[in-house]
Amino acid sequence: MRVIAERFVVCILAFVVLFAVSLLAATTLNAAPFDDALLRFTTDDYSDTDPAIGEIAATGHAMAAPVISALRDGRLMFSAATKKVFIREADGRLLDAATGQPVATSPVPAPADLAMVRLNNRLRRTVDAAMGALTLLAPDPTIRLQAAQAVFKSRDAAALPTLDAALAKETLPRVRKVLNEARAAAILFSEGASESDKVDAIVVVRDRGDQDALGLLSSLPATTPALVARAARDALTAMQQNLALWNAVQNFWYGLSLGSVLLLAAIGLAITFGVMGVINMAHGEMVMLGAYTTYVVQEIIRTRYPWLFDYSLLMAVPLAFCVAGIIGIGIERTVIRYLYGRPLETLLATWGISLILQQAVRTIFGANNREVGAPSWMSGSFEIGQISITYGRLWIIVFTGVVFVALLGLLRLTRLGLEMRAVTQNRTMAASMGIRTKRIDALTFGLGSGIAGIAGVALSQIDNVSPNLGQSYIIDSFMVVVFGGVGNLWGTLVAALTLGIANKFLEPYAGAVLGKILILVFIILFIQKRPRGMFALKGRAVEA
């Protein structure tokens, strides 16, 4: 029994020794190519740096990712005299790139000829591809997704083995899809891939269908086989047609977004100008006051109640309505009431008021733009097909719809709305029926100004908050109201959306400035034909 026990112990020891020797041999074999690749960095030659990046990534060495990351960030240093490569940490410490151990700089100083490993644009693409390949197997799916996207853009054929390994382990459908696309891109630029594999890869890239896929197929080398080149041309044609369709959808979305902004800015003017006949040149300043109210609310929340920031816009809406509405009532009571029936005088008076309000805001807040932040629920975007939709614009469209429906309800279902419509249709008859027309005038002007104020809350999310904010929208607002039909809210809605969509479809061909000029010329010609706009008020009692 003693002899058997001794032999068993000897076998165990022999197994341990053999395992240690094999592990050491594997480490040595793995370290040798890694060290040789590091040595290439010390020549400071792009032609040596390029293959070294791929060789380091292929070794799978524990320091491969830190070295490539340091190279990308400009923290990889070398000494030509000592033939050593170092990683500079954020705190200035040096690490040996071969081992990852800190380099003692005292009492021995760092090499005097220490320099950064240089990169050019081509090498940066190689670095991105290497980092992508190194992170394709990361535990975080977001990192894997970003790595696959990086490999797709770099088209690095050397990443094919890593891509195959990642696909074998991947379980998330969205990550698998991008991994397959990255593999297809790598196959297309691989010299060893067969023609049939490249044709299958073209199908995968075509199904992706975005601008990156279009650029990839457009950049296939001239030596591409005829069969593959023909499949690529057919795919490019199909993708270009598909992208043209999606581009039209994107322009429609942008136009809808712009139309909602125009509607928000013009809907208050549709009341003061359309209902009261007052040419209110200070309407833009009501929008500006609403934006500055939002800024003040956010500043108070930032300094005192930061946990309420996500609700800041919801709090600013009623406050902006009240601030702009009260100032509007004050303007009507002190200036406008004496100028009814004299449109040119109201134009000059309200223009002077607009200058006063601009200077007052400039004196209080300064002339510089003010920052109005976006809450978390308005940040970010999502994609539908090939178009990107931002949450901020989407919420502004929803907000515009809510304001429009609420205003329609107020005009149709409340006593104030009934009296406003009565005064609009026949002021003399309304007064004889006991309606206090002067009170209705003040409330109507205040309502239009208040709606302009809440428009400023929304516009603060997409435009600079400055004393000149309102001037950017006053002309467009008058165009919308006149084009849609003075005094008709439905006409204002249709006109805003029509002008917004038309503007976005004209911009790619005529440019932003010429597009606006063409729209203005169209409105002038249209008004010559239909002076009352698209949806003019009808009836015997409508006052001209």
Side-chain angles (χ1 to χ4, degrees), residues 324-340:
I326 290 171
I327 292 176
I329 291 174
I331 293 172
E332 196 280 336
R333 289 287 83 188
T334 57
V335 178
I336 302 298
R337 66 180 297 186
Y338 302 107
L339 301 175
Y340 285 121

Side-chain angles (χ1 to χ4, degrees), residues 240-445:
Q240 286 168 347
Q241 294 173 349
N242 186 54
L243 284 174
L245 178 61
W246 279 111
N247 189 51
V249 175
Q250 182 82 72
N251 285 335
F252 179 82
W253 164 253
Y254 286 154
L256 190 64
S257 175
L258 176 60
S260 68
V261 171
L262 293 177
L263 179 60
L264 265 181
I267 195 170
L269 191 64
I271 296 175
T272 56
F273 178 56
V275 174
M276 303 180 66
V278 174
I279 303 177
N280 181 17
M281 295 301 293
H283 178 78
E285 278 54 55
M286 300 298 109
V287 175
M288 178 262 293
L289 290 174
Y292 271 97
T293 301
T294 308
Y295 164 72
V296 172
V297 169
Q298 286 199 350
E299 282 300 297
I300 294 173
I301 289 177
R302 280 194 184 101
T303 55
R304 299 182 183 180
Y305 317 102
W307 60 89
L308 294 175
F309 185 80
D310 277 350
Y311 306 98
S312 59
L313 294 187
L314 300 179
M315 297 177 184
V317 168
L319 290 174
F321 180 86
C322 292
V323 169
I326 290 171
I327 292 176
I329 291 174
I331 293 172
E332 196 280 336
R333 289 287 83 188
T334 57
V335 178
I336 302 298
R337 66 180 297 186
Y338 302 107
L339 301 175
Y340 285 121
R342 293 187 287 175
L344 291 179
E345 282 85 346
T346 60
L347 185 151
L348 291 173
T350 54
W351 179 60
I353 292 171
S354 73
L355 296 179
I356 293 171
L357 291 174
Q358 286 182 46
Q359 189 57 47
V361 169
R362 194 174 284 111
T363 301
I364 297 171
F365 297 100
N368 296 331
N369 295 341
R370 296 295 174 174
E371 179 186 358
V372 175
S376 60
W377 47 273
M378 288 187 69
S379 303
S381 63
F382 62 95
E383 293 185 356
I384 298 178
Q386 300 299 327
I387 67 172
S388 178
I389 297 177
T390 59
Y391 286 108
R393 290 279 184 174
L394 181 61
W395 279 113
I396 287 176
I397 291 175
V398 172
F399 179 68
T400 302
V402 171
V403 171
F404 184 80
V405 171
L407 184 57
L408 278 180
L410 183 135
L411 293 178
R412 297 289 177 182
L413 304 177
T414 66
R415 179 181 178 85
L416 174 61
L418 178 64
E419 293 181 347
M420 284 173 57
R421 286 183 286 127
V423 172
T424 300
Q425 292 182 11
N426 195 316
R427 176 180 294 272
T428 304
M429 182 61 71
S432 66
M433 296 296 294
I435 297 176
R436 298 166 59 188
T437 57
K438 291 184 178 181
R439 173 177 172 272
I440 295 300
D441 288 338
L443 292 178
T444 302
F445 202 90

Side-chain angles (χ1 to χ4, degrees), residues 162-185:
T162 312
L163 284 167
D164 290 333
L167 278 167
K169 296 181 179 180
E170 190 57 62
T171 57
L172 295 178
R174 64 188 181 93
V175 181
R176 282 190 64 85
K177 179 176 180 295
V178 182
L179 285 171
N180 274 315
E181 293 166 353
R183 184 176 182 275

Side-chain angles (χ1 to χ4, degrees), residues 6 14 21 44 59 67 100 157 204 206 221 237 254 309 349 393-394 403 439 477 486:
E6 289 176 352
V21 170
D44 197 25
T59 62
V67 167
V204 175
R206 182 199 64 194
T237 302
Y254 286 154
F309 185 80
R393 290 279 184 174
L394 181 61
V403 171
R439 173 177 172 272
S477 298
V486 176

